[in-house]
PDB file of all heavy atoms in Angstrom:
ATOM      1  N   THR A  59      85.817 105.801 101.159  1.00  0.00           N
ATOM      2  CA  THR A  59      84.937 106.149 100.035  1.00  0.00           C
ATOM      3  C   THR A  59      83.623 106.812 100.515  1.00  0.00           C
ATOM      4  O   THR A  59      82.765 107.124  99.757  1.00  0.00           O
ATOM      5  CB  THR A  59      84.565 104.933  99.225  1.00  0.00           C
ATOM      6  OG1 THR A  59      84.056 103.910 100.039  1.00  0.00           O
ATOM      7  CG2 THR A  59      85.770 104.380  98.503  1.00  0.00           C
ATOM      8  N   PHE A 130      92.763  90.587  89.034  1.00  0.00           N
ATOM      9  CA  PHE A 130      93.060  90.641  90.437  1.00  0.00           C
ATOM     10  C   PHE A 130      93.761  91.959  90.838  1.00  0.00           C
ATOM     11  O   PHE A 130      93.234  92.732  91.673  1.00  0.00           O
ATOM     12  CB  PHE A 130      93.955  89.459  90.870  1.00  0.00           C
ATOM     13  CG  PHE A 130      94.129  89.339  92.375  1.00  0.00           C
ATOM     14  CD1 PHE A 130      93.368  88.459  93.077  1.00  0.00           C
ATOM     15  CD2 PHE A 130      95.051  90.091  93.022  1.00  0.00           C
ATOM     16  CE1 PHE A 130      93.545  88.272  94.446  1.00  0.00           C
ATOM     17  CE2 PHE A 130      95.204  89.956  94.406  1.00  0.00           C
ATOM     18  CZ  PHE A 130      94.459  89.076  95.116  1.00  0.00           C
ATOM     19  N   LEU A 131      94.891  92.215  90.242  1.00  0.00           N
ATOM     20  CA  LEU A 131      95.694  93.336  90.732  1.00  0.00           C
ATOM     21  C   LEU A 131      95.220  94.670  90.333  1.00  0.00           C
ATOM     22  O   LEU A 131      95.263  95.637  91.166  1.00  0.00           O
ATOM     23  CB  LEU A 131      97.159  93.134  90.256  1.00  0.00           C
ATOM     24  CG  LEU A 131      97.817  91.909  90.877  1.00  0.00           C
ATOM     25  CD1 LEU A 131      98.979  91.423  90.065  1.00  0.00           C
ATOM     26  CD2 LEU A 131      98.244  92.257  92.342  1.00  0.00           C
ATOM     27  N   THR A 132      94.716  94.876  89.104  1.00  0.00           N
ATOM     28  CA  THR A 132      94.216  96.162  88.737  1.00  0.00           C
ATOM     29  C   THR A 132      92.975  96.545  89.542  1.00  0.00           C
ATOM     30  O   THR A 132      92.852  97.672  90.073  1.00  0.00           O
ATOM     31  CB  THR A 132      93.918  96.174  87.238  1.00  0.00           C
ATOM     32  OG1 THR A 132      95.137  96.094  86.524  1.00  0.00           O
ATOM     33  CG2 THR A 132      93.201  97.510  86.829  1.00  0.00           C
ATOM     34  N   PRO A 133      91.992  95.640  89.732  1.00  0.00           N
ATOM     35  CA  PRO A 133      90.865  95.976  90.660  1.00  0.00           C
ATOM     36  C   PRO A 133      91.306  96.243  92.090  1.00  0.00           C
ATOM     37  O   PRO A 133      90.761  97.118  92.721  1.00  0.00           O
ATOM     38  CB  PRO A 133      89.965  94.735  90.631  1.00  0.00           C
ATOM     39  CG  PRO A 133      90.333  93.955  89.413  1.00  0.00           C
ATOM     40  CD  PRO A 133      91.744  94.320  89.122  1.00  0.00           C
ATOM     41  N   LEU A 134      92.331  95.465  92.536  1.00  0.00           N
ATOM     42  CA  LEU A 134      92.819  95.738  93.924  1.00  0.00           C
ATOM     43  C   LEU A 134      93.349  97.142  94.046  1.00  0.00           C
ATOM     44  O   LEU A 134      93.067  97.856  95.034  1.00  0.00           O
ATOM     45  CB  LEU A 134      93.912  94.704  94.261  1.00  0.00           C
ATOM     46  CG  LEU A 134      94.582  94.873  95.657  1.00  0.00           C
ATOM     47  CD1 LEU A 134      93.563  94.603  96.786  1.00  0.00           C
ATOM     48  CD2 LEU A 134      95.748  93.923  95.787  1.00  0.00           C
ATOM     49  N   ARG A 135      94.135  97.596  93.027  1.00  0.00           N
ATOM     50  CA  ARG A 135      94.708  98.952  93.063  1.00  0.00           C
ATOM     51  C   ARG A 135      93.648  99.981  92.873  1.00  0.00           C
ATOM     52  O   ARG A 135      93.602 101.009  93.697  1.00  0.00           O
ATOM     53  CB  ARG A 135      95.771  99.108  91.995  1.00  0.00           C
ATOM     54  CG  ARG A 135      96.261 100.513  91.746  1.00  0.00           C
ATOM     55  CD  ARG A 135      97.387 100.600  90.722  1.00  0.00           C
ATOM     56  NE  ARG A 135      97.108  99.887  89.527  1.00  0.00           N
ATOM     57  CZ  ARG A 135      96.412 100.415  88.481  1.00  0.00           C
ATOM     58  NH1 ARG A 135      95.825 101.599  88.576  1.00  0.00           N
ATOM     59  NH2 ARG A 135      96.229  99.709  87.361  1.00  0.00           N
ATOM     60  N   GLU A 136      92.761  99.846  91.885  1.00  0.00           N
ATOM     61  CA  GLU A 136      91.835 100.908  91.575  1.00  0.00           C
ATOM     62  C   GLU A 136      90.681 101.051  92.552  1.00  0.00           C
ATOM     63  O   GLU A 136      90.298 102.133  92.914  1.00  0.00           O
ATOM     64  CB  GLU A 136      91.296 100.677  90.152  1.00  0.00           C
ATOM     65  CG  GLU A 136      92.340 100.806  89.031  1.00  0.00           C
ATOM     66  CD  GLU A 136      91.776 100.622  87.676  1.00  0.00           C
ATOM     67  OE1 GLU A 136      90.571 100.082  87.535  1.00  0.00           O
ATOM     68  OE2 GLU A 136      92.412 100.988  86.681  1.00  0.00           O
ATOM     69  N   GLN A 137      90.101  99.900  92.955  1.00  0.00           N
ATOM     70  CA  GLN A 137      88.921  99.961  93.710  1.00  0.00           C
ATOM     71  C   GLN A 137      89.116  99.961  95.229  1.00  0.00           C
ATOM     72  O   GLN A 137      88.325 100.516  96.004  1.00  0.00           O
ATOM     73  CB  GLN A 137      88.001  98.741  93.346  1.00  0.00           C
ATOM     74  CG  GLN A 137      87.570  98.711  91.904  1.00  0.00           C
ATOM     75  CD  GLN A 137      86.849  97.428  91.545  1.00  0.00           C
ATOM     76  OE1 GLN A 137      86.181  96.806  92.372  1.00  0.00           O
ATOM     77  NE2 GLN A 137      86.992  97.009  90.245  1.00  0.00           N
ATOM     78  N   TYR A 138      90.222  99.370  95.644  1.00  0.00           N
ATOM     79  CA  TYR A 138      90.387  99.153  97.088  1.00  0.00           C
ATOM     80  C   TYR A 138      91.574  99.934  97.630  1.00  0.00           C
ATOM     81  O   TYR A 138      91.450 100.577  98.790  1.00  0.00           O
ATOM     82  CB  TYR A 138      90.605  97.687  97.436  1.00  0.00           C
ATOM     83  CG  TYR A 138      89.432  96.823  97.050  1.00  0.00           C
ATOM     84  CD1 TYR A 138      89.336  96.258  95.811  1.00  0.00           C
ATOM     85  CD2 TYR A 138      88.409  96.622  97.993  1.00  0.00           C
ATOM     86  CE1 TYR A 138      88.233  95.447  95.457  1.00  0.00           C
ATOM     87  CE2 TYR A 138      87.265  95.885  97.681  1.00  0.00           C
ATOM     88  CZ  TYR A 138      87.198  95.282  96.357  1.00  0.00           C
ATOM     89  OH  TYR A 138      86.086  94.520  96.092  1.00  0.00           O
ATOM     90  N   LEU A 139      92.701 100.018  96.973  1.00  0.00           N
ATOM     91  CA  LEU A 139      93.898 100.686  97.530  1.00  0.00           C
ATOM     92  C   LEU A 139      93.924 102.163  97.251  1.00  0.00           C
ATOM     93  O   LEU A 139      94.342 102.930  98.088  1.00  0.00           O
ATOM     94  CB  LEU A 139      95.141 100.023  97.003  1.00  0.00           C
ATOM     95  CG  LEU A 139      95.412  98.593  97.484  1.00  0.00           C
ATOM     96  CD1 LEU A 139      96.561  97.929  96.711  1.00  0.00           C
ATOM     97  CD2 LEU A 139      95.669  98.584  98.981  1.00  0.00           C
ATOM     98  N   ARG A 140      93.460 102.607  96.092  1.00  0.00           N
ATOM     99  CA  ARG A 140      93.543 103.994  95.735  1.00  0.00           C
ATOM    100  C   ARG A 140      92.762 104.896  96.671  1.00  0.00           C
ATOM    101  O   ARG A 140      93.251 106.022  96.932  1.00  0.00           O
ATOM    102  CB  ARG A 140      93.145 104.188  94.257  1.00  0.00           C
ATOM    103  CG  ARG A 140      93.682 105.506  93.640  1.00  0.00           C
ATOM    104  CD  ARG A 140      93.831 105.456  92.166  1.00  0.00           C
ATOM    105  NE  ARG A 140      92.556 105.153  91.526  1.00  0.00           N
ATOM    106  CZ  ARG A 140      92.397 104.916  90.240  1.00  0.00           C
ATOM    107  NH1 ARG A 140      93.464 104.876  89.433  1.00  0.00           N
ATOM    108  NH2 ARG A 140      91.219 104.677  89.731  1.00  0.00           N
ATOM    109  N   PRO A 141      91.599 104.519  97.188  1.00  0.00           N
ATOM    110  CA  PRO A 141      90.938 105.344  98.114  1.00  0.00           C
ATOM    111  C   PRO A 141      91.818 105.633  99.356  1.00  0.00           C
ATOM    112  O   PRO A 141      91.755 106.715  99.986  1.00  0.00           O
ATOM    113  CB  PRO A 141      89.660 104.622  98.493  1.00  0.00           C
ATOM    114  CG  PRO A 141      89.391 103.807  97.267  1.00  0.00           C
ATOM    115  CD  PRO A 141      90.718 103.317  96.758  1.00  0.00           C
ATOM    116  N   LEU A 155      97.042 106.847  91.101  1.00  0.00           N
ATOM    117  CA  LEU A 155      97.962 105.716  90.834  1.00  0.00           C
ATOM    118  C   LEU A 155      97.356 104.873  89.679  1.00  0.00           C
ATOM    119  O   LEU A 155      96.295 104.272  89.855  1.00  0.00           O
ATOM    120  CB  LEU A 155      98.106 104.873  92.071  1.00  0.00           C
ATOM    121  CG  LEU A 155      98.792 105.552  93.282  1.00  0.00           C
ATOM    122  CD1 LEU A 155      98.679 104.700  94.564  1.00  0.00           C
ATOM    123  CD2 LEU A 155     100.238 105.895  92.959  1.00  0.00           C
ATOM    124  N   ASP A 156      97.999 104.946  88.545  1.00  0.00           N
ATOM    125  CA  ASP A 156      97.352 104.428  87.344  1.00  0.00           C
ATOM    126  C   ASP A 156      98.059 103.167  86.729  1.00  0.00           C
ATOM    127  O   ASP A 156      97.673 102.718  85.650  1.00  0.00           O
ATOM    128  CB  ASP A 156      97.186 105.497  86.258  1.00  0.00           C
ATOM    129  CG  ASP A 156      98.447 106.267  85.982  1.00  0.00           C
ATOM    130  OD1 ASP A 156      99.503 105.820  86.518  1.00  0.00           O
ATOM    131  OD2 ASP A 156      98.421 107.213  85.231  1.00  0.00           O
ATOM    132  N   SER A 157      99.098 102.636  87.391  1.00  0.00           N
ATOM    133  CA  SER A 157      99.696 101.452  86.935  1.00  0.00           C
ATOM    134  C   SER A 157     100.428 100.782  88.103  1.00  0.00           C
ATOM    135  O   SER A 157     100.521 101.371  89.219  1.00  0.00           O
ATOM    136  CB  SER A 157     100.633 101.683  85.789  1.00  0.00           C
ATOM    137  OG  SER A 157     101.805 102.366  86.194  1.00  0.00           O
ATOM    138  N   HIS A 158     100.951  99.608  87.900  1.00  0.00           N
ATOM    139  CA  HIS A 158     101.646  98.963  88.990  1.00  0.00           C
ATOM    140  C   HIS A 158     102.577  97.882  88.385  1.00  0.00           C
ATOM    141  O   HIS A 158     102.489  97.467  87.256  1.00  0.00           O
ATOM    142  CB  HIS A 158     100.661  98.240  89.917  1.00  0.00           C
ATOM    143  CG  HIS A 158      99.805  97.217  89.221  1.00  0.00           C
ATOM    144  ND1 HIS A 158      98.535  97.447  88.757  1.00  0.00           N
ATOM    145  CD2 HIS A 158     100.061  95.893  88.835  1.00  0.00           C
ATOM    146  CE1 HIS A 158      98.089  96.370  88.142  1.00  0.00           C
ATOM    147  NE2 HIS A 158      98.952  95.422  88.238  1.00  0.00           N
ATOM    148  N   MET A 248     103.041 100.657  93.204  1.00  0.00           N
ATOM    149  CA  MET A 248     102.021 101.473  92.551  1.00  0.00           C
ATOM    150  C   MET A 248     102.610 102.740  92.052  1.00  0.00           C
ATOM    151  O   MET A 248     103.381 103.432  92.762  1.00  0.00           O
ATOM    152  CB  MET A 248     100.842 101.696  93.533  1.00  0.00           C
ATOM    153  CG  MET A 248     100.132 100.403  93.872  1.00  0.00           C
ATOM    154  SD  MET A 248      98.785 100.638  95.069  1.00  0.00           S
ATOM    155  CE  MET A 248      99.737 100.651  96.642  1.00  0.00           C
ATOM    156  N   PHE A 273     102.187  97.989  81.237  1.00  0.00           N
ATOM    157  CA  PHE A 273     102.400  99.147  82.076  1.00  0.00           C
ATOM    158  C   PHE A 273     103.799  99.688  82.004  1.00  0.00           C
ATOM    159  O   PHE A 273     104.051 100.817  82.433  1.00  0.00           O
ATOM    160  CB  PHE A 273     102.134  98.763  83.548  1.00  0.00           C
ATOM    161  CG  PHE A 273     100.654  98.589  83.871  1.00  0.00           C
ATOM    162  CD1 PHE A 273     100.221  97.523  84.687  1.00  0.00           C
ATOM    163  CD2 PHE A 273      99.682  99.440  83.338  1.00  0.00           C
ATOM    164  CE1 PHE A 273      98.886  97.334  84.988  1.00  0.00           C
ATOM    165  CE2 PHE A 273      98.343  99.270  83.656  1.00  0.00           C
ATOM    166  CZ  PHE A 273      97.949  98.215  84.471  1.00  0.00           C
TER     167      PHE A 273
END
Side-chain angles (χ1 to χ4, degrees):
T59 54
F130 188 99
L131 292 159
T132 295
L134 179 65
R135 169 175 51 81
E136 292 182 345
Q137 299 173 28
Y138 297 92
L139 293 171
R140 200 156 58 188
L155 296 171
D156 51 7
S157 70
H158 61 262
M248 294 178 280
F273 288 139

